[in-house]
Amino acid sequence: SAGFAGQGVSNIVQAGTENTPEAWQQRLQGGAMVAGGAAGMGQGIKSIPRVKAPLGDTVTTPRGTIPPENYTPADLKAYADANGIPLNAAQATEHNLPRTLQSAGERAAIGGNAVRLQAKASQAAISQHAQNMADSLSPNTPDLASKGSAIQENVQKALDGERAKSRQAYAAIDQRAGNVTVDLTPVKQTAQKVLGDSQFVRSVGLDPKTATEILQNVKAMPNNATFSEAQDLRSALLDASRSPDLAIANRAQGWIKQLTGATDTAMMDAAQSAPGLESAFRDANKNWKQLQEDFNNPGSVLDRILSETDPNKIPQKLTQRGQIGGSPYNAQLLDKYGIDKGPVKAAIVEDLLGKDFRLWNKNLGGYSHDFLRSLFSPQELDGIYKTGAIARSVGMNTNPSGTAAVTSAIEQTMNPLRAAGQAVAAKAAKSPSVNNWLMTPRGGQSAARSRISAALAASGAVGGAAKPSASKQLMDLFH
């Protein structure tokens, strides 16, 4: 095969620069021989003991030092093969030698289109792989809105579960309390005071359908209640504090806190009146207060999730991509209450895909390594980082200039030897045999690398004018 390619180069050289039909026929015939002979080039070079894996030392060396880039080309190639992503040596290593082959091959008149199609196939495979990854992390959430709704539902489910635990704790206190009850008279007096202040009612915008109804219900409660009933009152007040009608006024939040504080005091006074009851109440109260801090505090991400009316905005409340790159505390909060992180993970993967897995200030997509590590399992994050590294390489256009494309076309037309060299580069760039040879670990030899680079440069694949000795150098290399 290599000999056939070499003969093609020889035919082109012999044609010279004559502008005759016979000369052009010889050039075209020579180019076809080069392209055809290069198809078997990989098998030929593997049998040559003096030319061994020119990237052997590079394949086992990490491509970068930051976590998203700390993978060897061999790691990336193995991951790509396992997930059906076509990847050549240029994309896996980003080394100048295979990148030069690909760059020259993309502009080749013969075989260049196949090289570009191969790159597009790699890009499509990565996109599909990333989408499959997101779908596996959060099934049945096909878009951002459905992911946001799922997050909100999971947070609400966690809150309901914590409330149930709280009610059980206070029910246990009731069993131990005997005849001890909670005096709600101070709470009712607070509600009456708020309702009696007509100026205050008008200033906070209370209306019969919301706040006023709550206050009237508190007034109508019996003077004495069990601990469970008092706790239900506090839970109802927690819900009321998130009412859209009350959220517009800070003063409305204020009287909610007054009622809650009065209820706390009444329950503590009752617990202190019976031996051994105070300790159990304090434990139950501590858990309830933590619940309120995590779910009913405007500074808490869980409260902001529950209060958000637009599901599309919910995922970003947890990710906080930007200067801090996401807070690990948010992921820890989800773990604390057993809240499914799948929809959040899927939203991040899709966001990374939409931004081509770019690095922002050494962070993948602007998300800090600490945040991603707190959210994803080690295996999941490893897959995301490898996918990102491959995506950045595959998306790399080694020769994007439109002017360069036109110049290359003119040079190939005027210089058949250059066209032949680029045809060889195109075949080599997409040849599995050549790419596997380039990617063979522990086989690199500097002498072989220098001879290949020199031969490619002489053939015109690495720029510069073609030299008459190109045919001989190629023949020496591949025979």
Side-chain angles (χ1 to χ4, degrees):
S1 299
F4 190 61
Q7 182 60 49
V9 174
S10 178
N11 288 348
I12 294 173
V13 172
Q14 291 174 10
T17 59
E18 295 181 20
N19 189 24
T20 65
E22 292 78 10
W24 278 107
Q25 182 177 359
Q26 187 173 351
R27 292 188 191 102
L28 294 175
Q29 182 179 1
M33 293 176 70
V34 169
M41 186 188 306
Q43 295 298 325
I45 59 179
K46 288 195 297 185
S47 64
I48 306 174
R50 63 178 177 173
V51 182
K52 295 181 179 179
L55 301 184
D57 55 347
T58 302
V59 175
T60 55
T61 302
R63 296 196 330 184
T65 57
I66 60 175
E69 288 279 273
N70 194 22
Y71 295 96
T72 69
D75 292 334
L76 300 180
K77 185 66 166 63
Y79 183 81
D81 291 343
N83 291 280
I85 302 172
L87 195 67
N88 61 32
Q91 296 158 345
T93 65
E94 294 190 348
H95 191 278
N96 280 348
L97 170 58
R99 284 181 63 181
T100 299
L101 285 174
Q102 181 172 325
S103 179
E106 287 176 353
R107 304 304 182 194
I110 302 174
N113 190 57
V115 177
R116 289 193 297 272
L117 289 177
Q118 185 185 56
K120 290 182 178 180
S122 299
Q123 294 167 357
I126 290 172
S127 179
Q128 186 60 56
H129 172 64
Q131 189 59 58
N132 292 342
M133 187 184 301
D135 293 341
S136 68
L137 292 169
S138 180
N140 305 318
T141 55
D143 52 33
L144 188 62
S146 61
K147 290 177 178 63
S149 295
I151 294 171
Q152 192 173 59
E153 291 170 3
N154 291 335
V155 173
Q156 183 62 55
K157 182 179 179 180
L159 175 57
D160 293 340
E162 292 302 314
R163 283 177 172 172
K165 294 178 183 178
S166 180
R167 284 194 296 270
Q168 292 174 359
Y170 285 104
I173 294 174
D174 284 335
Q175 293 179 351
R176 299 179 58 179
N179 295 326
V180 176
T181 58
V182 179
D183 182 9
L184 294 182
T185 302
V187 182
K188 297 173 64 175
Q189 290 174 346
T190 301
Q192 179 61 47
K193 179 180 179 181
V194 174
L195 283 171
D197 188 345
S198 58
Q199 182 178 359
F200 174 80
V201 171
R202 288 194 301 271
S203 67
V204 299
L206 300 183
D207 64 87
K209 293 182 179 179
T210 54
T212 303
E213 183 178 357
I214 295 172
L215 293 170
Q216 293 287 4
N217 289 337
V218 172
K219 274 184 57 183
M221 293 183 67
N223 291 337
N224 295 294
T226 65
F227 283 93
S228 294
E229 290 171 340
Q231 172 58 17
D232 287 341
L233 172 60
R234 290 201 301 184
S235 295
L237 292 172
L238 185 151
D239 285 339
S241 68
R242 276 198 297 272
S243 168
D245 297 307
L246 297 177
I248 60 174
N250 291 332
R251 294 186 67 189
Q253 295 285 349
W255 66 259
I256 287 281
K257 291 180 180 179
Q258 289 183 44
L259 290 176
T260 303
T263 306
D264 284 341
T265 301
M267 294 175 75
M268 177 59 75
D269 290 344
Q272 291 174 340
S273 66
L277 197 59
E278 181 179 358
S279 176
F281 173 77
R282 286 186 182 277
D283 289 341
N285 214 38
K286 179 181 178 181
N287 292 336
W288 184 84
K289 286 182 178 295
Q290 185 61 55
L291 180 154
Q292 187 180 40
E293 178 68 22
D294 290 338
F295 289 90
N296 191 37
N297 178 2
S300 170
V301 65
L302 300 182
D303 177 77
R304 293 196 295 271
I305 288 173
L306 292 173
S307 303
E308 181 57 61
T309 58
D310 183 357
N312 290 286
K313 297 180 180 180
I314 290 175
Q316 68 185 25
K317 296 183 183 300
L318 287 162
T319 58
Q320 296 178 340
R321 194 193 67 231
Q323 291 183 346
I324 63 173
S327 171
Y329 174 76
N330 290 343
Q332 295 163 5
L333 196 59
L334 297 179
D335 288 335
K336 176 181 179 180
Y337 291 105
I339 299 172
D340 181 18
K341 296 185 291 188
V344 186
K345 296 179 183 180
I348 288 177
V349 171
E350 291 185 351
D351 181 58
L352 292 173
L353 175 60
K355 293 177 172 56
D356 300 324
F357 289 90
R358 292 194 301 270
L359 296 178
W360 296 4
N361 297 324
K362 299 183 179 181
N363 292 326
L364 182 60
Y367 298 103
S368 73
H369 176 63
D370 288 340
F371 172 65
L372 294 177
R373 187 173 55 181
S374 70
L375 192 64
F376 293 92
S377 70
Q379 183 178 3
E380 290 169 343
L381 186 56
D382 184 70
I384 290 171
Y385 276 164
K386 286 179 178 176
T387 301
I390 294 171
R392 289 189 294 278
S393 291
V394 169
M396 173 187 64
N397 187 340
T398 58
N399 195 1
S401 170
T403 302
V406 174
T407 302
S408 177
I410 294 174
E411 288 179 346
Q412 290 182 67
T413 302
M414 301 302 295
N415 190 338
L417 184 58
R418 183 181 182 89
Q422 291 194 213
V424 172
K427 283 292 183 181
K430 66 184 185 65
S431 167
S433 298
V434 172
N435 281 281
N436 289 336
W437 167 61
L438 291 171
M439 288 284 291
T440 302
R442 298 181 302 278
Q445 294 185 7
S446 59
R449 287 197 299 273
S450 63
R451 293 181 69 236
I452 291 173
S453 299
L456 290 173
S459 70
V462 193
K467 298 180 181 179
S469 60
S471 176
K472 184 177 185 305
Q473 290 192 40
L474 286 172
M475 295 292 283
D476 288 343
L477 177 62
F478 294 123
H479 267 305

